[in-house]
Amino acid sequence: MSDPVTTPTIKPVLKTERPKLHKVILLNDDYTPREFVVTILLVEFGMPEGAANRVMLTAHQRGACVVAVYTRDVAETKATRANDAARKKGHPLTFTTEPEE
Ligand code: TYC
């Protein structure tokens, strides 16, 4: 039998919501060299080379490609770092973030 002292009969009502994940999206442009895009994906997002090449090509052909999903803070920090690194080298390469549905 259950012990009323150690077994609560009232269930907690509030549940903790899992934080929404945010996508980091790579945008195509006409100027950034393909090799530079791949390097940024390797260095800033820790992607393996094959995946980095595929993501770069998808963005190049379709206009944009999801790179990865993270919590909001991590997604925004990574996108900002990647954009800053591109700007430092004079490239217009842009990463954006958006919440997952
Ligand atoms: N379109 C660029 C070029 O032809 C390469 C490129 C690919 C740039 C993907 C951005 O997200 C990008 N040099």
Side-chain angles (χ1 to χ4, degrees):
M1 259 226 313
S2 71
D3 174 359
V5 177
T6 58
T7 310
T9 53
I10 300 170
K11 281 199 206 137
V13 175
L14 296 176
K15 296 237 174 92
T16 310
E17 297 247 348
R18 209 169 318 147
K20 199 180 262 180
L21 292 175
H22 288 240
K23 299 181 273 197
V24 174
I25 299 164
L26 169 65
L27 303 181
N28 186 35
D29 66 72
D30 290 340
Y31 305 101
T32 307
R34 293 180 186 208
E35 305 73 32
F36 183 82
V37 180
V38 172
T39 300
I40 289 284
L41 292 170
L42 298 178
V43 172
E44 299 294 340
F45 294 92
M47 293 186 95
E49 195 159 354
N53 267 296
R54 283 193 293 276
V55 165
M56 180 279 294
L57 264 184
T58 301
H60 177 71
Q61 290 164 351
R62 303 169 76 127
C65 183
V66 175
V67 175
V69 292
Y70 304 100
T71 55
R72 178 158 65 92
D73 264 22
V74 174
E76 286 173 357
T77 301
K78 287 196 178 277
T80 300
R81 282 182 52 116
N83 290 336
D84 289 351
R87 240 38 101 243
K88 238 174 91 179
K89 296 285 184 185
H91 300 305
L93 182 66
T94 301
F95 292 82
T96 61
T97 65
E98 68 174 59
E100 279 201 319
E101 301 79 46

